[in-house]
Each structure stands twice: as structure tokens, then as C-alpha cells.
């Protein structure tokens, strides 16, 4: 081997060891490897940072931003809101959640799909008095499987499509992955729903002990909008919705005065306020389900261009300016354009109107407004925002706008009317212009560590291929399977790729395995497409460990999983994927 070949093998070996070790951030490892490769002359100086402008990097970033916009609009909530049912069997619940998770993963990023559905699954586990560990792993695996169906569903598909463009002159199209992806996803979902969850350790059959910091319960006021004359409504009519969203209705306010008692039988009129108690996410969900508003909603710019609103929780220290005064006294709404939606006072209920309640040290305030106004108001009031306790307000009036914009972008890309990154970028511009995503969300939605990882490894992967390393590995696999049918070689490639993906980031695995697959196809004198498709499927199948895919890492804490729990479902699932995907690949992508 040449110096460049040896150095690149050593460099990638070191990257592999450090990524598996897990003590150093993976983006830092990749970027350091890129700089070291440049210093050693392995990567030409003119190509060092070309990876950051690669279409695959741009597409992944744009998909994450579009996913945030769809979630902010409530478009995904239209589907997800019908998933919880106490009467559904465990297998039925897992099957339904898995189908929806897989479907969402096909149109938004699979990490975003899990982030949306995981709270619903945790809520279903709480209501069913069972461990969330029984259902979170099947849900995570289903979202990973669903991402294989479309080009934008998972980063490996994007990487493989763009590599095909570089190597063969034409990328895979949006739904080229669908035939094989659907076969794998349907089979995998059937397995995890019917059998997979039964393979988990017995201790998951017992409800977990409630530990940790509980959500603060706030007393909040929600404004009743226009009520049709032909559909009279009592307070008690909203109890089922409140129960479903984990909110308690504790009173009614009319003409500035509290109606005596809980007012269960009191007719609701336009302009009334419902007094409710719950945590911020539950209050927001109830507000949307019951079509309620909030005090001062007319002062927050609405319509299609309205800014994104958030709920912020902030604690009141001893020296806060607002102590001894109310939000009304401070003119919080009219002076700061921020609404005091609720107050949490160590489990005690607030007796007065929320905006007229005198604030005490130790109170926790639930404030609503745009991000910049919330920051300014917090500083002005002297309150301290709680870290990680900000809840986005879903802009449900823009759901169909968000769906239309996304469908139009994908249609334009599939029809060849627009380059996919340009179509997705236009969708991002639409979402930003209509207030679905704020300027800061455009940047916060992007997983920058993945972007740095991908941008750093693309030039290294190109150098790895140009130096002949991919050909060396390909020759080794071909020699190992000499005399065997081509599908055996395909299977070996998938096994190697799956193994790497379980310990490496799936993007990194793709960048290493993609050139190897093309070299193998060239050595065998067969079509490269089935081998590229095999890498796309295998790189996404990271089911054995919590570090192979971010979704598996996300569920580890909430599900109470240990490192060794994943292989119980993951190993048979990976074997099943091999069994069904190889024939499917050979049928839809003949050699």
C-alpha cells in the first residue's frame, strides 16, 4: 500500500475507535480528522471545506428546518392527536404508533417524527399504568424504518442519492427508495408490534416508580372565542377534552368576576374566561383542542404573517421588580406585549384573576409572547427563566398553509421543475415569511453537530476513494465471496455496513460504504444500483446499540433502557431486514 492509503486507513481507524469510545463529541472528532488529513496532504487544499457546500449537507439542514415548521403549524398534530386510546391493546397501540411514526418519518426527518410522538407515547404509558420501556423502543425502530421510504426521510438516503450523482451522473429520485423501503418498513413494523416488545426484559412489565422533578401545575386563564348560536356549550361539556389533555377546569370568569364554584353547568359565552390548572404543554394542547384563546391575544399579531409565540416558565427571586405587584400593575401586556398566562405557587390555587394576582417570591410565572419580547420582559421584571422550560405555541391556523407549501415543494422536485435543495429552501422562505418559524428557529432547528460531521467526512471519504482504499476493501470482499452468487457478496456488504452503523454515525458509515459498493459492483461487472441501495438500507439499520442512531439515544433515559437491552429486539430485526431486503433489492433493482 502507498503512504496515502496507509495513512487514510489509520486515520479512519482512529476515527472509528474515538466514535465508539464516545468521550469526545463526534463532530469534533470528524473536524479534527479533516484538518489532520489536510496537514498530511491527504486532502487537497482546494477541497478541504467543499463538504460543507455539498448538496447532501444542504438538504439535511433544510429538511430539519421544514420539519420544525410542520410541527409548529400543527399539521402533524392533525394525525398524532388521534393516537391515544385506553381501550387499545398493547400490540395495537404499538402497531398504530409505529405505522404513524414510520409514515411521518417518510415526510419529515425521523428524529423530528420521534420527538413529536414520544410525548404521546409517554402519556399513553402513564394513562395505561405501564412502563414506557415497552413501547418507546418499538416506536424508535419504526421511525428509523420509515425513514428508508423516501429520499428525505433519513440522512443515509440523501448521502447515497448524492453519491450516485457524483459517481454515476444521476441521483436517486424522491421515491426510488420506496419499493424496498416499504417492504422493509412493513415487515419490521409487523415484527416490533407483534413480537419484538415481548423480547424485552421482564422488569419492563412493571410500572416504573415516579422519580425526578415534576412539571409545575399552573393556574391559567383561557379566553372563549366566538360560539355559534346553534351550538350552546356548558363548562361541563369541555370536561372530556380537559381530561384527555390532563387539564383541570376549576372555574369560569365572566365580566371580570369569578362565577361561584366550578360552574360545571354554566353556559359558556363568547368573551368568558375558563380557569384551568395543568402543566404548560397540557394547557397549550387543551387550548388548541377546545379552540380557546388567551388574554391579550388581540395584541399579538395574527394572520399568516404572525410571529411564532412561545410559553416561558420563569421563577421569581427575592429581588424581582414584580414582587408585591401584579402583571396588570406592571402593564406587562400593554407595555411589553407579553401575556401572563399562568402562575404556579407551590401547589396552591390562585384565587384572584391571574393578571391581578400579587406576585410573591418563589412563584413561577408562565408567560406567553415572541422570543425576543419574552427575553426582554424577563429581564425587565427581574425573573429568572427556567432552563429548558420553553414550550412553543402551535399555530394551528396555518396548518393547511404549511402542508400546501411542503407538498408543492416536493411535487416540484419530483416533477423536475426545481432542484430539491432549491424547492426545500423555497419552503423554508415561505415558513419564515409567514411566521411559522422564527429567525432563531431557522438556526436552532438544524443539528449543527451532524452538519459538521458530514461536511468534514465528505472530503475525507473522497480522498479515501481516490487513494484506492475503497477498491482494496471491495477487492477483499469480492475475494472472500469468490465463486459465490452476486447476492452473497451483496449480503456480506450489508452485514459489514450494518455492523459499522451500529457503532458509527449512519452518515459516516454511508460515506465509507458507498464507494466500496460501487467498486464491488464494478469488480463483478454488475449494476451498481442494487449495491448502493443495499448500503442505504443497511446504514439505516442501527438497532443493536443506543449509539448507532440518535433516536435510540433519545429514548434511552425516558424508556429506562440499558445498553444491552437494544440487541434483544435489534438483533432479530436486523436479521429480518437482511432476509427481506436482499430479495426486494434484487427484484426492484436487478443486477
Amino acid at each position: 500500500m502507498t503512504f496515502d492509503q496507509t495513512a487514510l486507513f489509520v486515520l479512519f481507524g482512529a476515527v472509528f475507535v474515538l466514535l465508539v469510545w464516545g468521550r469526545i463529541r463526534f463532530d469534533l472528532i470528524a473536524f479534527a480528522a479533516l484538518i489532520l488529513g489536510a496537514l498530511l496532504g491527504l486532502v487537497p487544499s482546494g477541497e478541504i471545506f467543499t463538504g460543507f457546500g455539498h448538496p447532501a449537507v444542504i438538504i439535511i439542514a433544510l429538511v430539519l428546518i421544514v420539519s420544525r415548521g410542520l410541527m409548529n403549524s400543527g399539521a402533524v398534530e392533525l394525525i398524532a392527536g388521534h393516537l391515544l386510546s385506553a381501550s387499545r391493546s398493547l400490540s395495537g397501540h404499538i402497531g398504530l404508533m409505529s405505522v404513524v411514526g414510520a409514515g411521518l418519518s417518510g415526510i419529515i426527518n425521523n428524529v423530528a417524527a420521534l420527538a413529536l410522538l414520544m410525548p404521546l407515547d409517554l402519556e399513553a404509558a402513564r394513562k395505561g399504568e405501564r412502563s414506557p420501556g415497552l413501547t418507546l423502543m418499538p416506536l424508535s425502530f419504526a421511525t428509523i424504518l420509515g425513514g428508508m421510504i423516501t429520499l428525505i426521510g433519513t440522512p443515509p438516503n440523501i448521502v447515497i442519492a448524492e453519491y450516485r450523482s457524483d459517481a454515476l451522473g444521476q441521483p436517486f429520485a424522491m421515491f426510488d427508495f420506496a419499493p424496498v423501503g416499504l417492504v422493509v418498513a412493513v415487515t419490521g413494523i409487523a415484527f416490533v408490534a407483534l413480537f419484538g416488545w415481548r423480547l424485552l426484559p421482564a422488569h419492563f412489565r412493571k410500572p416504573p416508580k415516579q422519580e425526578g422533578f415534576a412539571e409545575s401545575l399552573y393556574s391559567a386563564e383561557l379566553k372563549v372565542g366566538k360560539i355559534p348560536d346553534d351550538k350552546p356549550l356548558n363548562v361541563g361539556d369541555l370536561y372530556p377534552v380537559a381530561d384527555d389533555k390532563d387539564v383541570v377546569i376549576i372555574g369560569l370568569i365572566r365580566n371580570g368576576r369569578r362565577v361561584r364554584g366550578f360552574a360545571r353547568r354554566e353556559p359558556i359565552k363568547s368573551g368568558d374566561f375558563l380557569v384551568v390548572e395543568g402543566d404548560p404543554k397540557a394547557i397549550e394542547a387543551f387550548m388548541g383542542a377546545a379552540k380557546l384563546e388567551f388574554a391579550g391575544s388581540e395584541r399579538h399579531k395574527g394572520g399568516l404573517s404572525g410571529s411564532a409565540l412561545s410559553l416561558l416558565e420563569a421563577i421569581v427571586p427575592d429581588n424581582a421588580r414584580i414582587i408585591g405587584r401584579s402583571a396588570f400593575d406592571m402593564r406587562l401586556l400593554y407595555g411589553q406585549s407579553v401575556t401572563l398566562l399562568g402562575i404556579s405557587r407551590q401547589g396552591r390555587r390562585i384565587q384572584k384573576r391571574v393578571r391581578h394576582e400579587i406576585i410573591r417570591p418563589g412563584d413561577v410565572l408562565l408567560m406567553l409572547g415572541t422570543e425576543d419580547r419574552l427575553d426582554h420582559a424577563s429581564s425587565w421584571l427581574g425573573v429568572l427563566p427556567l432552563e429548558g422550560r420553553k414550550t412553543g405555541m402551535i399555530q394551528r391556523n396555518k396548518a393547511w398553509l404549511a402542508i400546501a407549501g411542503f407538498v408543492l415543494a416536493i411535487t416540484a422536485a419530483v416533477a423536475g421543475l426545481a432542484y430539491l435543495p432549491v424547492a426545500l429552501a423555497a419552503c423554508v422562505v415561505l415558513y419564515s415569511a409567514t411566521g411559522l418559524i422564527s429567525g432563531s428557529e431557522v438556526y436552532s432547528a438544524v443539528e449543527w453537530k451532524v452538519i459538521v460531521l458530514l461536511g468534514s467526512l465528505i472530503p475525507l471519504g473522497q480522498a479515501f476513494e481516490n487513494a484506492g482504499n475503497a477498491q482494496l476493501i471491495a477487492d477483499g470482499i469480492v475475494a472472500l465471496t469468490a465463486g459465490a452468487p452476486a447476492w452473497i457478496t451483496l449480503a456480506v456488504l450489508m452485514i459489514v455496513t450494518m455492523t459499522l452503523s451500529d457503532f458509527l454515525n449512519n452518515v459516516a458509515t454511508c460515506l465509507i460504504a458507498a464507494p466500496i459498493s460501487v467498486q464491488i459492483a464494478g469488480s463483478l461487472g454488475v449494476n451498481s444500483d442494487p449495491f448502493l441501495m443495499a448500503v442505504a438500507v443497511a446504514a439505516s439499520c442501527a438497532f443493536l446499540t443506543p449509539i448507532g442512531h440518535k433516536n435510540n439515544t433519545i429514548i434511552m433515559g425516558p424508556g429506562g433502557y440499558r445498553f444491552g437491552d437494544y440487541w434483544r429486539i435489534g438483533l432479530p430485526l436486523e436479521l429480518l431486514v437482511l432476509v427481506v431486503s436482499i430479495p426486494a433489492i434484487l427484484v426492484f433493482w436487478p443486477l
Side-chain angles (χ1 to χ4, degrees), residues 58-365:
I58 305 300
I59 292 171
I60 289 172
L62 291 172
V63 165
L64 290 170
I65 299 171
V66 170
S67 298
R68 176 70 65 85
L70 287 168
M71 293 173 69
N72 287 353
S73 73
V76 183
E77 187 189 61
L78 293 175
I79 303 170
H82 302 285
L83 296 180
L84 300 185
S85 173
S87 61
R88 193 173 291 125
S89 68
L90 184 56
S91 285
H93 170 80
I94 293 173
L96 181 59
M97 290 289 285
S98 296
V99 168
V100 174
L104 289 177
S105 294
I107 58 174
I108 65 175
N109 179 268
N110 47 24
V111 176
L114 177 66
L116 175 81
L117 295 177
M118 189 170 75
L120 295 174
D121 198 60
L122 290 171
E123 178 65 14
R126 189 191 66 78
K127 289 183 175 181
E129 298 182 347
R130 54 175 168 74
S131 170
L134 287 174
T135 55
L136 280 180
M137 191 179 293
L139 176 60
S140 173
F141 288 176
T143 56
I144 295 171
L145 290 165
M148 301 180 193
I149 297 172
T150 66
L151 170 62
I152 62 173
T154 185
N157 286 3
I158 297 171
V159 172
I160 288 296
E162 292 303 320
Y163 180 80
R164 187 179 188 272
S165 178
D166 295 338
L168 305 178
Q170 183 70 29
F172 283 122
M174 176 66 66
F175 298 108
D176 282 349
F177 298 91
V180 176
L182 279 170
V183 170
V184 174
V186 169
T187 306
I189 288 171
F191 169 75
V192 297
L194 297 175
F195 308 105
W197 63 271
R198 304 175 194 273
L199 302 177
L200 288 166
H203 66 82
F204 285 113
R205 306 291 193 277
K206 302 176 182 178
K209 295 180 181 179
Q210 298 298 322
E211 298 177 350
F213 180 72
E215 289 277 2
S216 298
L217 292 180
Y218 292 86
S219 295
E221 295 175 8
L222 303 179
K223 186 178 180 180
V224 179
K226 180 67 175 174
I227 295 181
D229 295 333
D230 59 338
K231 292 184 179 179
L233 196 65
N234 292 339
V235 172
D237 295 332
L238 293 177
Y239 276 25
V241 181
D243 288 342
D244 185 56
K245 302 301 179 185
D246 269 346
V247 164
V248 178
I249 301 175
I250 58 177
L252 180 73
I253 294 172
R254 176 172 297 149
N255 298 326
R257 301 183 63 181
R258 183 87 169 255
V259 176
R260 184 173 298 180
F262 290 101
R264 179 188 180 102
R265 302 183 188 280
E266 187 72 23
I268 300 175
K269 300 179 181 179
S270 299
D272 287 350
F273 286 87
L274 284 175
V275 184
V276 302
E277 189 175 73
D279 67 62
K281 292 180 180 177
I283 291 172
E284 197 284 331
F286 174 68
M287 192 187 311
K291 295 181 171 56
L292 300 172
E293 301 172 0
F294 50 88
S297 56
E298 66 281 352
R299 290 190 58 82
H300 295 278
K301 188 178 180 182
L304 294 182
S305 61
S307 300
L309 301 176
S310 296
L311 290 170
L312 176 68
E313 299 175 73
I315 193 166
V316 181
D318 292 336
N319 60 347
R321 177 184 293 183
I322 196 174
I323 287 178
R325 306 173 72 182
S326 67
F328 184 79
D329 295 335
M330 298 288 289
R331 295 184 62 81
L332 181 63
L333 176 60
Y334 298 99
Q336 301 293 321
S337 294
V338 168
T339 297
L340 179 62
L341 190 67
I343 300 173
S344 176
R345 182 170 289 163
Q346 299 175 345
R348 296 181 224 163
R349 284 180 173 167
I350 306 300
Q351 300 302 320
K352 296 183 180 179
R353 298 286 307 275
V354 168
R355 285 191 294 165
H356 294 274
E357 179 69 23
I358 299 301
I359 304 302
R360 306 174 188 174
D363 285 350
V364 184
L365 309 183

Side-chain angles (χ1 to χ4, degrees), residues 178 339 375 417:
T339 297
D375 291 341
L417 301 176

Side-chain angles (χ1 to χ4, degrees), residues 547-568:
I547 62 175
H549 195 285
K550 190 172 182 180
N551 283 14
N552 293 345
T553 308
I554 290 172
I555 64 168
M556 193 172 187
Y561 299 117
R562 293 188 290 264
F563 196 98
D565 290 333
Y566 288 81
W567 69 268
R568 292 172 177 268

Side-chain angles (χ1 to χ4, degrees), residues 284-566:
E284 197 284 331
F286 174 68
M287 192 187 311
K291 295 181 171 56
L292 300 172
E293 301 172 0
F294 50 88
S297 56
E298 66 281 352
R299 290 190 58 82
H300 295 278
K301 188 178 180 182
L304 294 182
S305 61
S307 300
L309 301 176
S310 296
L311 290 170
L312 176 68
E313 299 175 73
I315 193 166
V316 181
D318 292 336
N319 60 347
R321 177 184 293 183
I322 196 174
I323 287 178
R325 306 173 72 182
S326 67
F328 184 79
D329 295 335
M330 298 288 289
R331 295 184 62 81
L332 181 63
L333 176 60
Y334 298 99
Q336 301 293 321
S337 294
V338 168
T339 297
L340 179 62
L341 190 67
I343 300 173
S344 176
R345 182 170 289 163
Q346 299 175 345
R348 296 181 224 163
R349 284 180 173 167
I350 306 300
Q351 300 302 320
K352 296 183 180 179
R353 298 286 307 275
V354 168
R355 285 191 294 165
H356 294 274
E357 179 69 23
I358 299 301
I359 304 302
R360 306 174 188 174
D363 285 350
V364 184
L365 309 183
L366 182 63
M367 300 186 294
L368 182 145
T370 60
E371 226 171 286
D372 57 332
R373 298 311 304 170
L374 286 171
D375 291 341
H376 185 272
S378 298
S379 177
W380 181 70
L381 294 172
V383 298
L384 304 175
L386 297 178
E387 184 67 27
R389 304 292 286 272
K390 185 176 284 187
T391 303
M393 288 286 291
I394 295 177
Q395 303 178 61
R396 295 171 178 86
N397 61 318
K398 301 176 185 176
W400 292 110
L401 170 73
I403 293 171
F406 178 71
V407 170
L408 185 61
I410 296 303
T411 302
V414 171
L417 301 176
Y419 185 35
L420 178 60
V422 175
L424 291 172
C427 189
V428 169
V429 171
L430 173 67
Y431 287 179
S432 182
T434 55
L436 263 174
I437 48 176
S438 64
S440 60
E441 280 185 305
V442 169
Y443 296 96
S444 64
V446 178
E447 185 66 39
W448 291 107
K449 290 189 288 186
V450 174
I451 298 300
V452 172
L453 172 78
L454 186 54
S456 300
L457 289 182
I458 284 175
L460 284 173
Q462 190 63 50
F464 189 85
E465 182 180 3
N466 292 341
N469 294 53
Q471 185 64 57
L472 287 173
I473 297 176
D475 291 343
I477 293 177
V478 171
L480 179 67
T481 57
W487 68 267
I488 295 291
T489 308
L490 188 74
V492 172
L493 173 66
M494 290 191 71
I495 292 170
V496 171
T497 305
M498 277 184 176
T499 304
L500 287 174
S501 189
D502 280 315
F503 296 96
L504 288 179
N505 179 279
N506 53 15
V507 173
T509 300
C510 252
L511 290 168
I512 295 170
I516 294 173
S517 68
V518 172
Q519 299 289 354
I520 290 175
S523 299
L524 295 176
V526 297
N527 183 13
S528 298
D529 285 340
F531 286 85
L532 284 170
M533 196 60 62
V535 169
V537 171
S540 292
C541 291
F543 302 126
L544 294 187
T545 70
I547 62 175
H549 195 285
K550 190 172 182 180
N551 283 14
N552 293 345
T553 308
I554 290 172
I555 64 168
M556 193 172 187
Y561 299 117
R562 293 188 290 264
F563 196 98
D565 290 333
Y566 288 81

